[in-house]
Every structure is written in C-alpha cells, then in structure tokens.
Amino acid sequence: MIRRHHRLLDRSSWAALRGRLAAVAGVVAVLAAVLTGTAAGPASAAPAAAPVSSVSSASSAQLAVGGWICRGTAVPPGYVITSYDAGRCNGAGASYTQPAQDPLWICASSPIPAGYVLTDHVTGNGPCLGDAWLMRLVTDGVWTCAGSPIPTGYVMTGHYSTGCRGIGSWFQQLAAPGLSICPGNPVPAGYHLGAYNGSGCAGLGSWVLLRN
C-alpha cells in the first residue's frame, strides 16, 4: 500500500508539473507573437503611415504646369516669368510662369534656360511692370543684348554700342578657328587666343581664336 501511495503521488506531481510547463509555454508563445507583430488584435496592428501634406502636393502640381506663383516661390526648370500681378497672393505679388519657347517676351527677373539668348529689350508698364526681354534660341550669327547669356560653344565677335534700344548689342557666332572675339568672352574648350587687334570689335579690341 505504501508503494502504491508513493506511485500515485509521483503521477500527480508529474501532472501538475506538465500543466505548469504548458502554461509557461503558452505565455512565451504569446510574448513572441506580440514582439514579432503576428498577434491578433488592435494592439498588434501597425500604425498607418502619415498622409503626405496636401499643401506640398498642390504646390508641386502647380509648378509642374506653370501658372501663377507667389513671390519667392522657385520657378520650375525650363519655365520663365512672363507677367507680374502685384495684387495676387494677398498683396505679396505673384509671377506668371510658362514653358520657355522661341520667341517669347520674359520679365527682367526671369531665369533664362540654357540655349536661349536675349535679342531685344523694352521698358514700360506692360505685363512685366517694367523691363522685358525678347528671348530666343541661339543661332549661329545673332545679335544679342548686353547682359545676354553666351551659350556653350558660342563667342562674341562684334559689338554695336547703340543696339538693343540703346543698351548695346553683341554678335554671337559658333566658335571656329580664325574668328576674332571680343574682350570679356569666355574661351571655348579646345581653343586658345592668338594675335591681338586693338581696333577689333568696334574699337574694344579682339583676339584671334585658335585651335589647341
């Protein structure tokens, strides 16, 4: 009887031990599920991503198609300013932007995209409320206004002091060996300056362009 009683006690102890182990295993499983994000229920749901600002999206969409932009807003690449309105943007003023094209009158503060030059100039109370410039694509042999960009590969070879309605104009050509270029002109890659002529470029002086 004594041995049988001990045997029953042993079986009861093992049953209790197995129950405790099962409970511990269950707790571990739940903890693992929570930590790995696989547990069901609201607590385990991933937080929703923050929505993108609608203001930023609207601004990007506006810049992509041009139109009116408030003073201080960047002009999109490839676009130019063609008009001002001082009453827009709650009195701060606004600029009208549109894609560059040939020809096009642009305002004095407008960016000038690569490959374009300024070929005429007017002042007054037009759409730009001041100075305006005629922008065109550069060609080999074109008179440009003083201050116009010099596109890569081009040089200034002539000067007319009263051109461009009195502000002066410069003749631009594609660089080529033997051309005489005016002072202040960048020397194109692959070239260097040769002999100097004091009477060249309408008395401003000029240098012969030579291949390296």
Side-chain angles (χ1 to χ4, degrees):
M1 294 294 294
I2 294 175
R3 290 180 180 176
R4 186 177 180 182
H5 180 67
H6 279 297
R7 198 175 293 120
L8 290 174
L9 287 175
D10 292 342
R11 289 175 181 174
S12 299
S13 299
W14 278 111
L17 182 59
R18 282 197 298 271
R20 291 172 184 168
L21 290 174
V24 171
V27 172
V28 172
V30 171
L31 288 174
V34 171
L35 291 174
T36 58
T38 58
S44 63
V52 177
S53 169
S54 59
V55 174
S56 298
S57 299
S59 298
S60 298
Q62 181 188 34
L63 291 180
V65 297
W68 289 103
I69 59 174
C70 294
R71 184 186 299 274
T73 303
V75 178
Y79 282 66
V80 293
I81 298 173
T82 57
S83 183
Y84 288 120
D85 188 336
R88 288 180 178 266
C89 296
N90 296 321
S95 306
Y96 189 81
T97 63
Q98 64 184 83
Q101 63 184 49
D102 176 22
L104 187 64
W105 284 95
I106 65 172
C107 299
S109 63
S110 173
I112 304 171
Y116 284 87
V117 291
L118 304 178
T119 61
D120 201 357
H121 170 239
V122 294
T123 60
N125 292 320
C128 289
L129 304 181
D131 290 353
W133 303 82
L134 182 61
M135 183 182 74
R136 307 206 64 150
L137 284 169
V138 67
T139 57
D140 186 11
V142 59
W143 283 98
T144 62
C145 297
S148 171
I150 305 174
T152 302
Y154 282 78
V155 290
M156 298 181 297
T157 60
H159 175 60
Y160 183 40
S161 61
T162 60
C164 204
R165 303 179 191 262
I167 66 173
S169 59
W170 302 83
F171 194 65
Q172 292 194 24
Q173 292 180 263
L174 275 171
L179 286 179
S180 293
I181 68 172
C182 300
N185 196 103
V187 180
Y191 288 88
H192 66 275
L193 299 180
Y196 173 74
N197 179 4
S199 62
C201 199
L204 298 177
S206 63
W207 290 262
V208 177
L209 197 61
L210 301 174
R211 285 281 192 187
N212 289 342

